[in-house]
DNA sequence: AACGTCGCCAACCGCCATGAC
DNA sequence: GGTCATGGCGGTTGGCGACGT
């Protein structure tokens, strides 16, 4: 087969940005033919354009077509693109068929310049849509992760703390070299006298590693009734964790802190299931803190624009570590 | 003000699939 | 069945404006 000769390689064919005059000539020609192009190869000559037919087609389909929607992507569109990309991969033209007035090129550009970066900063692999392994996340400093999350446009402090907890759980399972290991002192710097964080630093690796491993290993995702299984299992784990925290040698861990810490750890591992089991809101890490960690440029947890990202973060925290 | 860096996005490149001959 | 022309698609580039120093 081989690559076909293309008029683009002809000497003298105009390249580069389209002028208003070029656009007008192309639009008028296509409109004269009822919006239909029988041959892109013959179009430039017929329209009086010194352009490659391929370039004309691209200009029309990506920019001049009357049904193209310009302007920023909405949160719904962004959400839809991510979900479709998770199913279809880089099938931009297929994805574009699900978004009215958006071109494959525009979606591809938006993915590469916005969404991809957002996902990476959140520790989500933009190719597989799975959480990045701890060693990859470790390439970013904890501070960078926190500021990246903040840059998502108004993440709440509670959400940040869920993210912090997620990293904490990674430290439990991934060892001291992950970003989470560095995150803990970071958070401590931000909330130096916070008893919960200090307690977490001292007891989580020792007491909860096997507990969390158990949660992961016993999760029966394949079974049809896994939700109820996991829900009741999460409940059991909650009790076990409370008991173990109360028996911990570090005094600050026990008592009033044990219950909320256990709830947060279990709910961070299986947020949906805990909700289903207890029919109550997931207890966020924020609820553990008498004084929220001060995070400049944060906004309210109820910010609707964060809902998608919040869900995604919680979803990612529920994946096996 | 000048310069460097970065991000965005329109446009291009080159491969692939398909259909006509 | 082989070759060629064409359109379609995904990856990549480069110009340009915004921003920082």
């Amino acid at each position: 087969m081989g690559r076909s000769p293309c008029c683009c390689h002809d000497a003298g064919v105009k390249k580069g940005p389209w002028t208003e005059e070029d656009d007008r000539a192309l639009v008028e020609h296509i409109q004269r033919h009822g919006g239909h192009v029988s041959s892109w190869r013959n179009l430039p000559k017929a329209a009086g354009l010194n352009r490659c037919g391929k370039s004309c087609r691209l200009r029309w389909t990506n920019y001049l077509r009357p049904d193209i929607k310009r302007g920023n992507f909405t949160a719904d569109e962004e959400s839809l693109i991510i979900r479709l990309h998770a199913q279809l991969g880089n099938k931009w033209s297929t994805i574009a068929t699900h978004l009215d007035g958006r071109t494959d090129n525009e979606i591809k550009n938006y993915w590469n310049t916005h969404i991809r970066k957002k996902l990476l900063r959140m520790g989500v692999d933009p190719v597989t849509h799975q959480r990045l392994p701890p060693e990859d996340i470790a390439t970013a400093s904890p501070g960078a992760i926190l500021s990246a999350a903040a840059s998502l446009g108004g993440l709440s402090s509670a959400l940040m703390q869920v993210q912090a907890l997620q990293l904490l759980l990674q430290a439990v399972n991934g060892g001291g070299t992950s970003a989470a290991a560095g995150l803990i002192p970071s958070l401590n710097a931000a909330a130096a006298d916070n008893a919960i964080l200090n307690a977490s630093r001292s007891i989580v690796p020792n007491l909860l590693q096997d507990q969390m491993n158990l949660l992961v290993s016993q999760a029966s995702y394949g079974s049809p009734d896994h939700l109820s299984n996991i829900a009741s299992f999460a409940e059991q784990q909650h009790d076990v964790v409370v008991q173990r925290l109360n028996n911990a040698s570090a005094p600050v861990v026990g008592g009033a802190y044990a219950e909320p810490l256990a709830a947060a750890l279990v709910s961070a591992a299986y947020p949906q299931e805990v909700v289903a089991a207890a029919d109550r809101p997931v207890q966020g890490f924020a609820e553990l803190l008498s004084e929220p960690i001060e995070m400049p440029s944060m906004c309210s947890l109820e910010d609707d624009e964060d809902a998608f990202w919040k869900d995604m973060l919680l979803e990612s925290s529920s994946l096996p570590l």
Side-chain angles (χ1 to χ4, degrees), chain A residues 8-262:
Chain A
C8 302
H9 297 285
D10 294 349
V13 170
K14 195 172 165 188
K15 291 169 102 174
W18 280 63
T19 62
E20 282 185 30
E21 202 178 329
D22 291 338
D23 283 347
R24 205 177 313 119
L26 179 59
V27 170
E28 283 175 3
H29 176 84
I30 293 176
Q31 283 174 346
R32 271 200 303 273
H33 291 79
H36 176 70
V37 178
S38 56
S39 168
W40 285 107
R41 189 178 180 80
N42 297 330
L43 181 142
K45 196 176 174 185
L49 281 162
N50 184 26
R51 289 270 180 181
C52 168
K54 201 169 179 175
S55 175
C56 293
R57 182 178 57 80
L58 221 58
R59 182 65 179 171
W60 174 258
T61 55
N62 287 338
Y63 200 83
L64 297 173
R65 240 173 47 202
D67 57 332
I68 285 180
K69 189 201 288 184
R70 316 296 307 178
N72 295 337
F73 281 77
T74 66
D76 283 347
E77 284 176 319
E78 184 171 303
S79 164
L80 182 58
I81 290 169
I82 293 171
R83 290 177 202 285
L84 288 169
H85 187 272
Q87 294 170 24
L88 302 166
N90 294 359
K91 303 285 183 191
W92 305 118
S93 56
T94 311
I95 292 172
T97 63
H98 291 81
L99 285 97
D100 284 343
R102 299 295 190 183
T103 69
D104 54 353
N105 204 41
E106 195 180 10
I107 293 170
K108 179 174 59 183
N109 282 333
Y110 189 69
W111 176 272
N112 287 326
T113 56
H114 292 91
I115 301 175
R116 190 173 167 278
K117 290 174 187 171
K118 273 187 185 178
L119 292 175
L120 282 172
R121 285 187 302 228
M122 295 182 70
V124 177
D125 188 327
V127 177
T128 64
H129 292 254
Q130 301 295 308
R131 196 190 324 169
L132 285 165
E135 59 267 30
D136 289 350
I137 298 173
T139 58
S141 70
I145 293 170
L146 291 174
S147 62
S151 77
L152 288 174
L155 279 174
S156 69
S157 60
L159 177 53
M160 290 288 292
Q161 289 149 5
V162 172
Q163 170 84 340
L165 180 58
Q166 184 184 340
L167 289 169
L168 197 63
L169 290 170
Q170 284 174 359
V172 168
N173 286 274
T177 58
S178 76
L183 175 68
I184 295 167
S186 250
L187 289 176
N188 280 338
D193 59 348
N194 189 291
I196 290 297
L197 284 172
N198 287 332
S200 304
R201 182 182 54 182
S202 59
I203 58 93
V204 165
N206 296 329
L207 291 180
L208 295 183
Q209 180 157 12
D210 57 345
Q211 217 61 55
M212 287 303 153
N213 285 341
L214 211 58
L215 276 168
V216 170
S217 67
Q218 295 192 10
S220 51
Y221 276 98
S223 79
D225 58 346
H226 98 270
L227 184 68
S228 59
N229 286 345
I230 297 297
S232 61
F233 184 70
E235 283 288 287
Q236 291 167 24
Q237 293 308 306
H238 173 270
D239 294 342
V240 173
V241 172
V242 169
Q243 194 177 352
R244 295 186 72 157
L245 289 173
N246 278 324
N247 292 338
S249 54
V252 72
V253 170
Y257 293 125
E259 174 85 22
L261 179 56

